[in-house]
Amino acid sequence: MNTRRTKTQIYVDILRSVQRSRGRLKKTHIVYKANLTHSRLEEYLDFLLSKEFLVEEKNSKQIFYAITEKGSRFLGEINKLKEISEAFGVPL
Amino acid sequence: MHIIIPVWFYGFDSAMYFVSSIVGFLLSFYFYKIYSLSSDKKHSYLYLGFLLLSIGLLSLAITDLYSYIAFSNCHASCILGIIDDVFSLEDFAYLAYFGLSLMAYILFILAYGSESPKFSKGMLLFFVLYVILIAKFVPISGECNVWESYHGYFHLTSLIMLIFVSFRNVANYFEKKSLNSLLVMNAFIFISLFHVFHLFVFISGWMYVFAHISMLIGFSSLLLMVLRLKK
C-alpha cells in the first residue's frame, strides 16, 4: 500500500500542527510535528505564506509561523474538496 | 437522419440543459479549487472538462429557447427568412456544443488515463483519427441541417468515450463503496444513456424525452453529491 503523503496532505499536516499549538509555532517545531525535513519544509512554507494561510511573526530573535483566518477556513474546506475528488476517483 | 422532438417537450429540454450546465459550472469551480491546491494535471483536466461541457450545454439551452420562442411567435405565417436564421443559429450552437463536449470528454479520459501515459496517448490518437475520419469522409446530407447530419456520429463518439470514464467510476465505486462515489458512477452512466437514447431519436419522439431525462438524472446525481458535502 502506498503511504506517501500527497502535497495537500502535507499542507494540511503543517497547518494542523500550527493550529493545535495555540495558532503559532517555530519552524523547528513544525519540522518534527509535521514529520518533514528542514529543506522540504521551506518549499511548503513558501506556498502556505504565498497563499496567506500562514504569516510570519517576528518576536525579538525568534520567528514564529501563525495560522491566519484564511488558513483556518482552508482546513475546514479541505475535507469537502477531498471528498469530491475521492468520489471521482482522483484523490487530492 | 431526422430528429423527432415532441412538440409538448419544447422548452423542457432547454430547462434541462440549463440546470445541467449550472451543475457543470459548480463542479468546474470545485475542481479549480482542488487544482489550485494540488497542481495535479488530473484535477485540471476535470476542471477544464466540466467548464467546456457547461459552456456547450448553456449555448444549447439559450439557442433552443430562442428558437422555440421564434417559432411559437410566427405560427403558420412563418417567414422563410426567420426559419433560416433560427436554423443557422441552431447549427452554430449545436456544432459548438459537439466540439466542446468532445473536448470535455477527451479531458475526462486524460484525467482517468493520465496514470498510464502510453494508454492516454494511444486513446487520444485513436479519437483524434476517428474524429478526423468522420469529419473528412462522412457526407453532409442536403436534406438535413448540419447538426442533424453529424448528430449520430457525435453521440456514438461521445458514448465510446463515456463508456471508458464510466468503467473507471464503476471501479472507483467498488473500491470505495461510498455513497458519493455511487452518485458519481450513477451520473456518468446516465450521461452515457443520454447519448444512447440520442442514437435512436429518429425512431420516436420518446427517445428524445428519455435522453433528456437521463441527462437530468445524471447531473442531479452530481448535484446531490455536492449538496451532501455542503451539510
Side-chain angles (χ1 to χ4, degrees):
Chain A
M1 198 182 134
N2 185 10
T3 52
R4 228 183 116 198
R5 287 183 294 176
T6 61
K7 257 186 182 180
T8 315
Q9 190 55 51
I10 295 171
Y11 296 141
V12 170
D13 289 346
I14 293 171
L15 289 173
R16 283 214 177 112
S17 59
V18 176
Q19 194 179 46
R20 282 171 188 160
S21 306
R22 296 180 186 175
R24 56 181 226 155
L25 212 55
K26 282 193 282 187
K27 199 184 277 182
T28 327
H29 292 159
I30 299 175
V31 165
Y32 70 79
K33 287 200 175 191
N35 197 18
L36 288 164
T37 61
H38 266 284
S39 56
R40 288 200 74 195
L41 177 65
E42 289 296 339
E43 152 195 352
Y44 291 108
L45 275 182
D46 283 346
F47 174 83
L48 293 169
L49 289 168
S50 70
K51 289 273 176 185
E52 294 173 349
F53 291 157
L54 287 179
V55 282
E56 268 185 1
E57 285 181 359
K58 285 176 187 169
N59 185 355
S60 61
K61 287 179 185 175
Q62 291 180 317
I63 299 173
F64 287 90
Y65 291 90
I67 190 163
T68 61
E69 203 187 310
K70 197 177 167 189
S72 300
R73 261 190 282 127
F74 164 75
L75 277 179
E77 199 166 335
I78 192 76
N79 285 337
K80 191 166 75 186
L81 297 179
K82 274 178 91 173
E83 281 191 57
I84 291 176
S85 55
E86 276 169 17
F88 276 84
V90 281
L92 183 60
Chain B
M1 185 174 79
H2 285 283
I3 297 158
I4 306 166
I5 306 171
V7 178
W8 61 266
F9 198 63
Y10 282 9
F12 283 110
D13 54 353
S14 222
M16 287 172 175
Y17 287 135
F18 185 72
V19 171
S20 302
S21 79
I22 297 296
V23 177
F25 279 123
L26 191 66
L27 278 162
S28 168
F29 167 72
Y30 279 119
F31 273 107
Y32 172 73
K33 277 178 132 184
I34 291 169
Y35 171 63
S36 67
L37 287 171
S38 69
S39 306
D40 189 336
K41 274 183 188 171
K42 284 184 270 183
H43 299 136
S44 73
Y45 294 146
L46 286 171
Y47 149 59
L48 286 171
F50 277 112
L51 184 66
L52 293 179
L53 190 60
S54 306
I55 295 170
L57 289 168
L58 189 63
S59 75
L60 275 192
I62 294 168
T63 316
D64 276 0
L65 191 66
Y66 169 75
S67 60
Y68 294 148
I69 291 169
F71 282 124
S72 61
N73 284 342
C74 69
H75 299 293
S77 61
C78 258
I79 304 162
L80 204 61
I82 293 175
I83 297 171
D84 283 348
D85 285 348
V86 170
F87 271 108
S88 57
L89 185 70
E90 278 214 316
D91 271 352
F92 176 75
Y94 268 90
L95 287 177
Y97 162 69
F98 289 174
L100 290 169
S101 293
L102 289 176
M103 279 193 270
Y105 296 154
I106 288 172
L107 287 167
F108 290 163
I109 288 175
L110 286 175
Y112 287 102
S114 57
E115 282 161 14
S116 153
K118 266 190 180 176
F119 174 82
S120 49
K121 275 181 192 165
M123 286 284 277
L124 194 62
L125 191 66
F126 168 77
F127 282 118
V128 169
L129 284 174
Y130 177 76
V131 171
I132 290 170
L133 280 175
I134 284 179
K136 179 97 180 140
F137 296 109
V138 175
I140 298 169
S141 165
E143 295 167 16
C144 303
N145 305 303
V146 177
W147 64 275
E148 280 187 321
S149 305
Y150 283 113
H151 181 271
Y153 302 103
F154 161 70
H155 287 289
L156 182 66
T157 312
S158 301
L159 180 63
I160 295 169
M161 292 192 196
L162 279 177
I163 284 173
F164 169 72
V165 178
S166 299
F167 266 115
R168 293 301 298 254
N169 277 285
V170 170
N172 182 52
Y173 167 68
F174 282 106
E175 191 189 317
K176 306 255 167 58
K177 290 272 170 89
S178 68
L179 182 56
N180 291 335
S181 55
L182 175 70
L183 287 169
V184 174
M185 178 188 82
N186 189 52
F188 280 110
I189 289 172
F190 274 94
I191 296 170
S192 304
L193 278 177
F194 163 74
H195 294 292
V196 172
F197 284 121
H198 255 293
L199 287 171
F200 300 99
V201 283
F202 59 92
I203 296 173
S204 154
W206 280 104
M207 291 295 153
Y208 188 84
V209 176
F210 292 146
H212 285 77
I213 291 172
S214 296
M215 180 188 71
L216 192 65
I217 293 173
F219 280 94
S220 300
S221 285
L222 293 175
L223 181 64
L224 189 63
M225 189 267 296
V226 172
L227 291 177
R228 280 187 76 247
L229 297 173
K230 276 260 176 197
K231 286 177 186 171

